[in-house]
Amino acid sequence: MKKILTVIFSAAVILMTASCNGVEPNDLSYIVALGIDGGENGKYNITIQYANPAQISGGEEINLEDSGVQNVTVEASDIYEAIAAADLQNSKKLFLSHTKVVIFSRSVAEEGLENMSEMFINSEELRPDVYLAVSENAREYLESMNPENEANPAKYYKMFFDKDKLTGLPHGTLKVFFDGIETGEYDTVLPVVSPENEDAKSAVFNGGKMVGELERDETELYKFLDRDFAGGFMTLQNEDTLKKPVTIKIAQKKQPRYTIDTKNKSIHVGLTLNGSVYSAPPDYEPDESAEEFEKKCEEHIKKESETLMKKVIREYRSDIFHLDEHAKKNFWTYGDFEKYKNSVDYSEYSVTVDVKFNIKKTGMVQKED
Amino acid sequence: MIARKELTLLTVTAIMAKMVLVFPKLLLSNSGSAAWIQVIYNVLCAAAVFAVISWLYVSDKNVIEMAGEVGGKWLKIPTGLVVFAVFMINFALIIRVFPETVKTVLLQNFDTNLITLLFMGAIGVGAALGIEAIARVNYIFIPIIGVILALLIVLLVPHYNIYNLLPILGTGAKKIFADGFHTISIYSDMLLLNVLLPYYKDAREAKKSIRAVFLITAPVTVLIILAYCLVYPYPVSGEFMIPFYQLARILHLGDFLGRFEPVFQFAWSILLLLYSALYVFALCRVWQMTFDLDFYRPLVFPVVIISGAISLLPATLGDIVTNAEFENKLAYPAAFLLPVIFGAISKIREKKRKEKSR
């Protein structure tokens, strides 16, 4: 009996070493990005961008002018139909599990992404940390991509969208987007990308629909007001340095503190920022006028933040500042919170932002709060 | 002879296997963001019940042997059948969920029936090798699984959002403390420890084992639920069939190592294979003790076939969760009451014996 079992197990070890579904890694095309544009008759024009392994694996045959990716666009109702159609145009089988980013065209984002995000989150292939972004034309954006300083396109997208904790790019992963829609406790901001990667703008959503856009400055302010900001540079001007601005490296060590007073209908945000002067005009001495400069910065950020919050809350009627989520601590149970959530109108609330801006002086580790 | 620590870890495996499958979903569906409070409440309730059992149970014999001593075969057979039913209810859920989830997360192009067949074959072999083999393999792998679990919980820290625990009482106090009492069933596998009593030196050793099981499983159970609640907000958290897998999915370990799922899938598969082999062995032993049979091995094949057939009763994975809720309510009263009843009998008999000897 032992001999028979030994033969069976040895045979299994030797013979069952192939992949279980008979598809070898060499027979697969790895999708790195998907682009979804509006189509006709309720369908979408879906661009599938997959890696070109010959260009990213190294060796003598690399032609630097060739892209590390290839694109194919098909008309389909969803990504799975698109992959099935694109498979017919490709010798290798398209594989979705390495997708790093999904780009939606503005028109598709404005129509709403609820159904699509639900399908994506339930997909076993797509990961919850896939990045989502918006572009005027998703196909054009993907076709223009030819990462020059990173041969691996998957790594390129990862590095590009991983900058979301610094100023500029909002944090927009599939999980964050889907959780926001499903819980109804906040709305999401996604990065707006363009072929030239010009200004870092952001798309503001209300539920699953894109309802507006934030400019680059507004996006930077939003990062301060959101909880995911880590650090970045900011260029400020005041009357002392009208022509030559002061560059400050900003870090946000404390998360913004939101207080939502449901009785008096007011929203208060406490913002603490720490900065150090990186460059200043030669005739300007930041140490001497630091306190005054801090005050001016605080006033500037306060004014701009309040304007931004009012614009988003009243004009876009969007909760990108997670106001519902912050209000949750006022309630004991979901029943009570749901009642509040369904009845609250933040456009009736007053908004105040208090900013504490500490600039590190020469010789000091950090100014005390 | 099996060491006490090996037997302790077998019970830990039995309890933890449920936690990595559908059990968190039951907790979250009931109390939402307060699932972690519910699980603390369940642990405290179970600890109270087992404190009572530990105090009452002074015999070195398990409930089936006790039933035979007290009421002969007329009590022994029904008791044995109740224990068999409790084990089967606990086990049938796992035997069905495991192949379904393996198909979903690992072998998408495989037929579920084939996965079930391979799985049943593996656990049948495990059970036939005996409790010593299962206990020793389990003793090797449980610490590795523990490290993987700890790693998962720590690596998830950047994904934790404290707001996901709010409102603090979730769906309400009544849901947590009244309806949530049923999920005490997570500790119904402790009956296994009673059935394995003949493998302990004496009842005192088994009691030490109970304490150790609580010390290990209570914090781990609470931490798993807490981590899941902190990562996924309610009601999103209640939507996933295998919450533990969803936690592993969101981790990215850098460009070189990449994903955490393969590590998770290794730990998860080993844990469930050990759990299932242990349960097939326990079911055979219960049957052997109930009907005074000489050998348990001839029972392995029929038990595997019967449990496989029972596990196929729910039509879908969704039905399994609904059934799990119902079956838990059915299984845990018996799992807790039998040791209490026979514990009380053993206490009375011990008292009488002492009085006589005086």
Side-chain angles (χ1 to χ4, degrees), chain A residues 45-98:
Chain A
N45 289 321
I46 299 178
T47 304
I48 298 165
Q49 184 175 79
Y50 54 95
N52 185 358
Q55 284 301 313
I56 59 177
S57 57
E60 287 173 9
E61 289 171 15
I62 293 179
N63 180 358
L64 290 171
E65 283 175 17
D66 282 351
S67 172
V69 290
Q70 286 177 346
N71 297 289
V72 57
T73 304
V74 288
E75 194 181 55
S77 305
D78 58 53
I79 53 165
Y80 291 104
E81 191 187 329
I83 290 168
D87 262 336
L88 300 173
Q89 302 175 29
N90 194 5
S91 59
K92 292 184 176 183
K93 191 170 167 50
L94 290 162
F95 190 58
L96 196 58
S97 292
H98 291 260

Side-chain angles (χ1 to χ4, degrees), chain A residues 309-349:
Chain A
M309 286 189 74
K310 282 173 191 166
K311 175 184 163 184
V312 172
I313 293 168
R314 291 172 192 169
E315 202 180 308
Y316 298 153
R317 303 187 86 77
S318 174
D319 184 13
I320 60 171
F321 303 104
H322 298 238
L323 300 175
D324 276 340
E325 206 177 58
H326 289 291
K328 271 206 289 190
K329 59 175 177 267
N330 300 329
F331 302 93
W332 285 100
T333 65
Y334 261 104
D336 297 339
F337 174 59
E338 281 292 315
K339 271 183 217 159
Y340 162 80
K341 208 171 70 174
N342 295 333
S343 62
V344 70
D345 182 1
Y346 289 117
S347 62
E348 294 170 357
Y349 280 51

Side-chain angles (χ1 to χ4, degrees), chain A residues 9 20-21 23 97-100 118 120-129 155 158 175 178-179 182-183 185-186 227 255-256 258 322 325-329 331-335 337, chain B residues 31-34 104-110 125 159 161 163-173 231-236 239-240 245-246 248-252 255 259-261:
Chain A
F9 285 125
C20 57
N21 55 9
V23 183
S97 292
H98 291 260
T99 308
K100 285 281 172 274
E118 180 142 17
F120 290 172
I121 205 86
N122 289 323
S123 157
E124 287 305 325
E125 294 95 345
L126 283 176
R127 335 269 323 146
D129 62 354
K155 199 171 176 190
K158 175 122 188 51
K175 181 183 179 296
F178 178 75
D179 287 355
E182 196 64 10
T183 58
E185 285 170 16
Y186 64 87
R227 288 172 295 183
Q255 289 198 350
Y258 281 75
H322 298 238
E325 206 177 58
H326 289 291
K328 271 206 289 190
K329 59 175 177 267
F331 302 93
W332 285 100
T333 65
Y334 261 104
F337 174 59
Chain B
S31 45
S33 57
T104 314
V105 303
L106 265 177
L107 309 169
Q108 280 108 351
N109 298 332
F110 262 54
V125 170
H159 298 272
N161 179 4
Y163 287 95
N164 290 345
L165 298 184
L166 301 172
I168 199 79
L169 288 180
T171 49
V231 172
Y232 283 96
Y234 181 78
V236 178
E239 286 193 5
F240 300 116
Y245 171 60
Q246 294 302 325
R249 277 192 88 194
I250 60 168
L251 282 182
H252 183 82
D255 289 334
R259 295 165 183 181
F260 194 79
E261 288 118 296

Side-chain angles (χ1 to χ4, degrees), chain B residues 17-18 29-30 38 45 78 134 159 165 174 186 196 204 215 235 247 249 276 291 300 357:
Chain B
K18 278 184 183 172
S29 314
N30 183 61
Q38 186 180 330
C45 290
I134 301 170
H159 298 272
L165 298 184
K174 185 182 165 284
I186 187 159
L196 297 177
R204 206 179 294 162
L215 281 176
L247 289 180
R249 277 192 88 194
S276 307
F291 296 102
V300 171
S357 65

Side-chain angles (χ1 to χ4, degrees), chain B residues 275-291:
Chain B
Y275 172 91
S276 307
L278 171 66
Y279 255 95
V280 171
F281 172 81
L283 283 163
C284 296
R285 280 287 287 146
V286 167
W287 200 266
Q288 185 198 3
M289 283 187 273
T290 307
F291 296 102

